[in-house]
Amino acid sequence: RSSDLLTPPFIAASNPFDLTAIEDHLYVSDGGRNLIWDIDLSSDSFSVLTSFPKVTNPLAPLGPPMIDVVPTGIAAYGDQLLVTLFTGFPFPAGASSVQQVDPATGTFGAFITARRTAIDVLPISEGDDTDFLVLQHSSVQVPPLPPFVGPGLVLRFDTPTDPPTTVASCLTRPTSMTLGKKGETLYVSELAGRIVSIAIAQ
């Protein structure tokens, strides 16, 4: 019955968004349930690696008092995971982040902070040096209505705490990215179905 949907306990819909592999495990971000799934390929079993709590909405009463963090992009970084937290409405500036998650324990902590609508992350390495690309769904830092105003960005961080440089600002609501085999071209998907290629300097 439709009235049952308004009666606690509420059931959150699952929204698997992205996945990555470390050895014989797949790790899947679930934006609907604010968690990371751990799929053990050797035993054909799965479990919750970690779940992310809601955070305070600094713009309340615009939107609810607490908002979901909405994990989206996920990437392997050595033996760790990097996960982007997109956040939910009203998408406050500075609330989006990249978290580092330990797949052995499920513990997590801030890696890159003070973003808005970060939707994917990609470590790129050359020798012992690793930079971090962060895909931002929209670029406006003061949340207007509607919220997704301004071009999407690819940002490059030399270290997690340094200010980023802008690699590209020509994107329309980008959703994910991957690096070509030669490491010279970044491919970015957009919500409307377009794939954009961007030259990347190592």
Side-chain angles (χ1 to χ4, degrees):
R1 296 177 304 173
S2 60
S3 60
D4 292 339
L5 300 178
L6 304 177
T7 304
F10 301 106
I11 299 174
S14 183
N15 180 18
F17 193 92
D18 197 4
L19 81 163
T20 193
I22 298 179
E23 297 182 347
D24 57 354
H25 286 253
L26 293 177
Y27 300 96
V28 181
S29 59
D30 189 333
R33 299 183 65 181
N34 296 309
L35 55 80
I36 304 298
W37 295 103
D38 176 1
I39 301 172
D40 186 340
L41 298 176
S42 63
S43 63
D44 290 330
S45 62
F46 67 94
S47 60
V48 174
L49 172 65
T50 194
S51 58
F52 300 98
K54 291 185 178 186
V55 296
T56 301
N57 175 15
L59 301 178
L62 175 61
M66 303 292 291
I67 55 176
D68 293 314
V69 294
V70 191
T72 50
I74 187 170
Y77 172 46
D79 62 353
Q80 300 287 291
L81 299 168
L82 298 180
V83 180
T84 50
L85 301 184
F86 185 79
T87 74
F89 181 83
F91 312 101
S96 181
S97 67
V98 177
Q99 298 286 310
Q100 180 171 299
V101 181
D102 186 345
T105 63
T107 58
F108 59 88
F111 190 76
I112 294 173
T113 60
R115 299 293 95 213
R116 184 166 187 245
T117 64
I119 199 167
D120 203 5
V121 60
L122 183 64
I124 53 174
S125 299
E126 183 177 13
D128 295 331
D129 181 57
T130 301
D131 292 351
F132 305 92
L133 299 181
V134 174
L135 183 63
Q136 199 159 281
H137 193 64
S138 62
S139 60
V140 175
Q141 287 296 305
V142 178
L145 293 177
F148 303 128
V149 174
L153 306 177
V154 177
L155 303 175
R156 186 169 189 155
F157 292 80
D158 292 333
T159 74
T161 56
D162 284 342
T165 56
T166 300
V167 175
S169 59
C170 58
L171 303 167
T172 303
R173 300 194 66 180
T175 55
S176 64
M177 59 183 169
T178 190
L179 196 62
K181 288 185 177 180
K182 294 183 179 180
E184 299 174 350
T185 305
L186 185 72
Y187 298 96
V188 180
S189 62
E190 296 179 329
L191 191 62
R194 186 174 71 154
I195 305 294
V196 179
S197 62
I198 300 168
I200 294 292
Q202 293 290 333

